[in-house]
Amino acid sequence: MEDISRIVLLAEPEYKKLAGAMGLLLVSSAITMFAPFSMGKIIDFIYVSSENPSQMVNTLSYVCKILCGVYLLGGAASFGRVYLIHISGQKIIAKLRKTLFSSILEQETAFFDKTRTGELINRLSVDTILVGKAVTDNVSEGLMAVLQSVGGIFMMFYVSPKLASIVLGIVPLIAIVIVTNGRYRHNITKQTQDCLAKSTQIAEERISNIRTVKVFGQEFKEIERYDASIDDVFQISEKEAFARAAYTGLIDLSIKVIILFVLYIGGRMMSDVQISVGDLSSFLIYAGFVGTSFRGLSSSYSEVMKGIGASCQLWQLIDRETAIPLTGEFICPNIDDLERSGIQFNAVHFAYPSRPDVPIFSGLDLEIPSGSITAVVGPSGSGKSTLGSLLLRLYDPNQGQVIVGGHDVCTLSPHWLKGAIGTVQQEPILFSSSIAENIGYGVSAGQEVSKKDIINAARKANAYRFIKSFPKGIDTIVGERGQMLSGGQRQQIAIARAILKNPSILLLDEATSALDAESEHLVQEALERVMKDRTVIVIAHRLSTIKNADNIVVLSGGQIVETGSYNQLMESPDGLFKKLVEKQTVSFI
């Protein structure tokens, strides 16, 4: 019942349009119900007036002109009803998609670690349509079927109570079939949507990473994987098809039995002059209307049940409260606070929510002075990138605090925090849009940038030299995930994005790792200029990146095992840093 009430509330803003559509539905249904009665009377008139052809033709012509006008009115009412219902349905679907997409994007990063992308896409695309149509198109069709069923039964009794009483004895059986079928479709829809979400996830993930699939020659393996997921969908659909076929067969049989009863009993009544040929014709049409309306009512009921089944998953996503809210009573400090206080990690304990039994930090303490350059190094898996994730509050520590500008990041506005931090990830991902849009993506809300600003940022990142070689320059489309650019070019675009943002804190997750020697040298010079008077955290793998850092932090086993300048750490004969340098002079990976 809760799902049904929420679907009804979803349609509340469209009540005026839907009410208008219902009014037009009454008009079109009334005219539809009037048509068989008028036809029956015309047949009787023709039968009775056969001895005076000229008068019959004149009267018949007059009556048919009136009926044409009435039927035109019914057609216009049907047009208006369908238009209003469709527009309302599309608005409801649009509103539902906006609400769902907003709820998804507001979730914390840990939510996406556990939830499949394909499932979310399936909810946005397929489930929203099922719910939107359930509350508009299917309800409208169902009400029309109800009105025509009730109207048809009333007219059947008006034309011949005796014949109607005999024929309608089969109706309770049809009602039982309709309800049973609707409940079954409701249950099986949930299973179908879950399987579809799984297959969508597989397709979306493999297509978006098609280069990886092809590099490892896994095309046939992925085809088999997708085929298996589609087979699961088919098996459930097969059950639905059997139930639907059985239901359709029973309904068709019922309609034909009703018509056969009408012909048999009505024919005997005509022989006894209990009913006229026109009334029998009208009764037959009404019986057909009732049978067809029952079929339509059943179909609408089943689709509404499917919509209710799909809505369960949507409400779970929409109602889910994020662990890291984007709005609330947050602090937005002055930039001066950042310059005075710097960054501190105090007794931080952390494990990723998707791997709670694998701790990353156990009581980590780290202070990063304002205006300094701090390099973080260590073996792979030691938690270097995790520091950046905690600083950006993509995750919250299990225990302890991350302090920025003298405030716990949990008390800071997420938009302010991320606006104050510029990031360049180790593997930057670009959107399938222009170079200019990708560079300008990191700009904070309300900050205006010109084409000249974007070009200047690209120059400082040493990216403009390859950008200007493209025919469309900064308007060049980079392709999905930036795959039309090389790895080094994508990284330079990401650096330009950070430069344009002009942040107080720079977080560089090995910003030069994908560049060749020449590009690395030029970009390193640009970064050195940008890093002046800023608090910088360099998550480093390359030795060349960290030599000039003010402080080097060495991580191992979730703890800081060494700190100091490059020269200080190299003087420690048994230190981990020196061992890493001696073991791999180019990389710490």
Side-chain angles (χ1 to χ4, degrees), residues 190-201:
K190 292 182 179 180
Q191 301 175 40
T192 304
Q193 295 308 109
D194 288 340
C195 284
L196 277 174
K198 181 180 178 181
S199 63
T200 302
Q201 158 69 14

Side-chain angles (χ1 to χ4, degrees), residues 84-100:
L84 291 175
I85 287 292
H86 185 74
I87 289 295
S88 298
Q90 291 304 311
K91 284 188 176 181
I92 290 170
I93 292 171
K95 178 184 176 182
L96 191 56
R97 282 176 172 165
K98 290 177 182 178
T99 304
L100 180 60

Side-chain angles (χ1 to χ4, degrees), residues 185-422:
R185 294 280 289 275
H186 175 216
N187 294 329
I188 207 166
T189 294
K190 292 182 179 180
Q191 301 175 40
T192 304
Q193 295 308 109
D194 288 340
C195 284
L196 277 174
K198 181 180 178 181
S199 63
T200 302
Q201 158 69 14
I202 293 173
E204 188 274 337
E205 192 174 64
R206 271 58 182 183
I207 292 172
S208 62
N209 294 288
I210 188 63
R211 285 170 175 78
T212 303
V213 173
K214 289 191 172 294
V215 164
F216 289 97
Q218 297 295 322
E219 292 92 340
F220 294 114
K221 180 180 178 180
E222 296 302 343
I223 290 171
E224 290 177 3
R225 191 195 304 270
Y226 184 73
D227 287 350
S229 68
I230 291 299
D231 287 341
D232 291 339
V233 177
F234 174 75
Q235 289 176 4
I236 298 175
S237 300
E238 195 173 22
K239 296 179 183 178
E240 183 181 9
F242 179 82
R244 185 173 182 178
Y247 158 76
T248 302
L250 286 173
I251 293 296
D252 284 346
L253 176 63
S254 300
I255 292 173
K256 289 178 175 61
V257 168
I258 288 174
I259 294 175
L260 186 62
F261 272 20
V262 171
L263 286 173
Y264 176 74
I265 299 172
R268 296 188 61 176
M269 291 175 66
M270 280 185 62
S271 64
D272 296 335
V273 198
Q274 296 181 35
I275 190 172
S276 68
V277 64
D279 286 344
L280 180 59
S281 299
S282 299
F283 194 96
L284 273 169
I285 297 174
Y286 283 125
F289 273 176
V290 170
T292 303
S293 297
F294 276 150
R295 179 188 292 173
L297 178 61
S298 161
S299 177
S300 298
Y301 179 72
S302 298
E303 292 301 315
V304 169
M305 290 296 102
K306 286 178 67 176
I308 293 172
S311 72
C312 296
Q313 305 289 346
L314 298 187
W315 305 141
Q316 288 179 9
L317 286 173
I318 291 173
D319 293 339
R320 187 181 188 278
E321 293 186 7
T322 176
I324 304 178
L326 299 179
T327 57
E329 296 182 0
F330 291 117
I331 301 170
C332 295
N334 296 320
I335 299 299
D336 294 340
D337 294 338
L338 286 176
E339 296 176 353
R340 286 194 301 268
S341 304
I343 302 167
Q344 295 87 37
F345 292 82
N346 296 335
V348 170
H349 293 256
F350 177 73
Y352 284 99
S354 58
R355 304 189 301 272
D357 55 341
V358 182
I360 304 299
F361 296 134
S362 300
L364 178 80
D365 288 298
L366 172 63
E367 183 168 354
I368 300 171
S370 176
S372 68
I373 300 174
T374 300
V376 182
V377 301
S380 180
S382 59
K384 300 183 296 296
S385 296
T386 302
L387 278 177
S389 297
L390 292 174
L391 176 62
L392 287 163
R393 210 192 170 197
L394 300 182
Y395 301 91
D396 280 338
N398 302 121
Q399 295 179 39
Q401 292 179 309
V402 180
I403 308 295
V404 175
H407 301 278
D408 190 329
V409 293
C410 294
T411 66
L412 296 176
S413 163
H415 296 291
W416 180 91
L417 177 65
K418 287 156 189 173
I421 302 174

Side-chain angles (χ1 to χ4, degrees), residues 64-121:
C64 286
K65 287 178 181 178
I66 295 175
L67 290 178
C68 281
V70 174
Y71 296 157
L72 282 173
L73 176 61
S78 295
F79 167 82
R81 175 186 65 85
V82 172
Y83 177 78
L84 291 175
I85 287 292
H86 185 74
I87 289 295
S88 298
Q90 291 304 311
K91 284 188 176 181
I92 290 170
I93 292 171
K95 178 184 176 182
L96 191 56
R97 282 176 172 165
K98 290 177 182 178
T99 304
L100 180 60
F101 187 72
S102 175
S103 178
I104 290 172
L105 286 197
E106 288 176 6
Q107 299 305 315
E108 72 279 6
T109 309
F111 167 81
F112 298 98
D113 294 340
K114 301 176 183 178
T115 309
R116 297 171 298 183
T117 303
E119 178 183 349
L120 298 177
I121 292 173

Side-chain angles (χ1 to χ4, degrees), residues 116-180:
R116 297 171 298 183
T117 303
E119 178 183 349
L120 298 177
I121 292 173
N122 196 69
R123 303 299 175 214
L124 273 170
S125 59
V126 179
D127 290 7
T128 50
I129 292 177
L130 288 176
V131 175
K133 285 191 173 182
V135 78
T136 53
D137 291 32
N138 297 324
V139 169
S140 173
E141 297 298 327
L143 286 175
M144 183 172 68
V146 169
L147 289 174
Q148 291 188 358
S149 297
V150 173
I153 292 172
F154 174 80
M155 291 304 296
M156 287 168 67
F157 275 99
Y158 179 79
V159 172
S160 176
K162 178 181 177 181
L163 193 55
S165 299
I166 297 172
V167 169
L168 294 179
I170 200 171
V171 169
L173 295 176
I174 297 176
I176 293 173
V177 171
I178 290 174
V179 173
T180 304

